[in-house]
Amino acid sequence: MTPDQNQLAYMLADKLQDTALEFGMTHRSVNINVMIGAANCFLGSWLTCAPNRQKALEGLEI
């Protein structure tokens, strides 16, 4: 990854963390299983939308 891509990745991670915190404050019944499920959905969509197998594997290595 280039330095710009790395910075964007950190910015996105920060936004995702803020959104997850806001979601947890709004929906008090959220627990670790919900967060793990959301992460699985994200990874599944990442792998499904990858342009090819190599890009999907690269994404998992990051």
Side-chain angles (χ1 to χ4, degrees):
M1 279 202 308
T2 68
D4 288 339
Q5 289 173 328
N6 198 34
Q7 181 63 27
L8 286 173
Y10 280 116
M11 290 170 57
L12 179 57
D14 190 41
K15 293 284 186 188
L16 290 172
Q17 183 177 2
D18 291 346
T19 302
L21 179 60
E22 183 180 334
F23 185 86
M25 296 300 244
T26 304
H27 305 282
R28 294 295 185 159
S29 62
V30 72
N31 60 25
I32 190 65
N33 293 328
V34 172
M35 293 301 178
I36 291 171
N40 286 337
C41 289
F42 173 78
L43 286 174
S45 66
W46 176 281
L47 294 175
T48 303
C49 295
N52 58 47
R53 183 173 187 231
Q54 185 58 37
K55 290 292 182 188
L57 292 174
E58 287 173 12
L60 289 175
E61 291 175 359
I62 293 175

